[in-house]
């Protein structure tokens, strides 16, 4: 009897100590710490809880950084605003203009080649024409638009155009309608499958006298005579595929670059049409000099 009574008393004292320890140190009555449970109850409070706001800021920051890197070093989207590159690229007032993506990497490791379709910044005032800045006159809104353009959410504050490279630095380009062979580079006529002859005929029929020959049909240059012009090293000569309706290098020969475009003003090579969906696909760049 004494042994039984003594054992029971010790057990009660041990239970009291366990209960006291649990209260003092945060341990459960079953000896487990609440934060080590594989489940949680409403009364459980983790020692550390991540901030939802901080996580959101980190995620948004990472997305913006990735977008900036892509827009700055990899590629960027542009909208074709005019019909000067039809039928390769479509654009006109009141229609669904093509959305294109340019490749910025190609010209970081190489130079533009004849046949490349490129987006470039207007190299002189001669190219600007009636272009107006898309920026607001309000300085606060203007700054916001500048910031958005870094991430591709607003257009850059520059007059960007798209044409095809015809000749590169050191080459001589010209066209004489009397020769009836079209554009020549270094004395050799070009092969230009991207020029839609029917489209040129339609343009002449609509009243484009500069592209019309004596017989009322399109002349061989699809415009007035030009050249010869020797392209400076580091520059390119560009022309539109819709040759009879393109204000390209031919019409800027009075500027300081004689109509050519410095390679430093080229933003990238056009690779894809991404919209409208009916025209999704790659943009070819056959070499007209081959």
């Amino acid at each position: 009897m004494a042994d039984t009574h003594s054992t029971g008393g010790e057990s009660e004292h041990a239970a009291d100590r366990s209960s006291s320890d649990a209260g003092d140190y945060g341990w459960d009555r079953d000896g487990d710490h609440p934060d080590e449970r594989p489940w949680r109850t409403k009364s459980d409070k983790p020692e550390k809880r991540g901030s939802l706001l901080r996580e959101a800021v980190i995620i948004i920051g990472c997305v913006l950084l990735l977008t900036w890197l892509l827009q700055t070093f990899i590629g960027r989207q542009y909208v074709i605003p005019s019909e000067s590159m039809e039928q390769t690229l479509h654009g006109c007032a009141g229609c669904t203009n093509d959305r294109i993506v340019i490749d910025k990497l190609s010209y970081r490791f190489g130079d533009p080649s004849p046949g490349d379709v490129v987006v470039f910044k207007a190299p002189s005032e001669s190219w600007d024409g009636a272009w107006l800045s898309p920026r607001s006159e309000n300085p606060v809104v203007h700054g916001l638009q500048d910031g958005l353009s870094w991430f591709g959410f607003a257009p850059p504050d520059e007059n960007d155009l798209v044409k095809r490279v015809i000749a590169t630095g050191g080459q001589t380009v010209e066209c004489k309608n009397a020769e009836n062979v079209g554009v020549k580079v270094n004395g050799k006529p070009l092969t230009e499958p991207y020029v839609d002859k029917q489209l040129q005929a339609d343009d002449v029929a609509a009243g484009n006298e500069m592209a019309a020959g004596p017989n009322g049909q399109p002349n061989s240059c699809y415009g007035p005579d030009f050249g010869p012009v020797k392209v400076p090293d580091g520059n390119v000569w560009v022309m539109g595929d819709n040759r009879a309706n393109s204000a390209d290098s031919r019409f800027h020969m009075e500027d300081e670059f004689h109509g050519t475009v410095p390679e430093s003003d080229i933003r990238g090579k056009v690779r894809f049409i991404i919209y409208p969906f009916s025209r999704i696909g790659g943009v070819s760049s056959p070499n007209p000099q081959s």
Side-chain angles (χ1 to χ4, degrees):
M1 294 290 294
D3 292 340
T4 304
H5 177 73
S6 175
T7 302
E10 292 176 357
S11 297
E12 291 174 359
H13 288 302
D16 290 342
R17 287 196 302 273
S18 298
S19 175
S20 175
D21 291 344
D24 293 341
Y25 300 104
W27 297 89
D28 292 341
R29 294 181 183 276
D30 57 5
D32 293 330
H33 193 280
D35 287 348
E36 294 178 351
R37 295 175 182 170
W39 66 88
R40 297 218 179 267
T41 65
K42 292 182 179 180
S43 62
D44 291 336
K45 294 182 179 180
E47 294 178 352
K48 295 181 180 180
R49 185 184 300 272
S51 169
L52 180 61
L53 178 60
R54 183 175 66 235
E55 292 178 0
V57 169
I58 292 173
I59 292 173
I60 293 173
C62 289
V63 170
L64 290 177
L65 176 61
L66 179 60
T67 303
W68 177 79
L69 290 172
L70 289 173
Q71 296 284 335
T72 304
F73 300 106
I74 307 299
R76 187 177 184 124
Q77 176 185 332
Y78 287 87
V79 179
I80 303 302
S82 73
E83 54 195 313
S84 68
M85 283 295 292
E86 293 183 352
Q87 296 288 337
T88 304
L89 302 174
H90 285 189
C92 61
C95 68
T96 302
N97 296 329
D98 283 354
R99 269 68 169 174
I100 58 173
V101 172
I102 66 167
D103 163 20
K104 291 190 171 186
L105 287 176
S106 292
Y107 301 146
R108 293 185 185 277
F109 303 101
D111 298 321
S113 299
D116 288 356
V117 179
V118 298
V119 169
F120 60 96
K121 181 188 75 171
S124 68
E125 292 183 2
S126 172
W127 292 81
D128 281 335
W131 178 79
L132 296 175
S133 170
R135 295 294 185 262
S136 169
E137 294 182 358
N138 184 303
V140 175
V141 177
H142 188 115
L144 178 61
Q145 291 173 327
D146 284 342
L148 291 173
S149 71
W150 296 342
F151 308 103
F153 301 130
D157 191 17
E158 61 185 28
N159 182 17
D160 292 316
L161 305 105
V162 58
K163 305 291 181 197
R164 191 180 296 271
V165 175
I166 299 301
T168 56
Q171 296 184 324
T172 298
V173 59
E174 62 183 316
C175 189
K176 306 297 181 184
N177 282 300
E179 297 178 351
N180 201 34
V181 295
V183 179
K184 298 190 300 183
V185 173
N186 290 344
K188 180 182 177 181
L190 302 182
T191 301
E192 300 189 281
Y194 41 76
V195 175
D196 187 323
K197 295 181 179 181
Q198 183 58 53
L199 184 61
Q200 310 314 302
D202 292 343
D203 194 61
V204 168
N208 186 346
E209 296 180 357
M210 287 195 304
N215 59 358
Q217 298 299 311
N219 56 36
S220 62
C221 296
Y222 301 115
D225 293 355
F226 68 89
V229 176
K230 185 173 183 179
V231 182
D233 290 337
N235 288 28
V236 295
W237 179 273
V238 297
M239 300 179 77
D241 289 358
N242 188 1
R243 195 63 50 81
N245 197 8
S246 175
D248 46 41
S249 288
R250 296 170 293 173
F251 298 94
H252 306 283
M253 290 188 292
E254 300 303 319
D255 72 6
E256 60 265 43
F257 303 111
H258 306 291
T260 66
V261 177
E263 292 181 8
S264 58
D265 287 331
I266 296 178
R267 297 299 181 240
K269 179 179 180 178
V270 179
R271 291 290 190 181
F272 303 103
I273 299 171
I274 60 172
Y275 189 82
F277 298 130
S278 61
R279 288 180 47 75
I280 286 178
V283 176
S284 62
S285 54
N287 186 345
Q289 300 181 20
S290 60

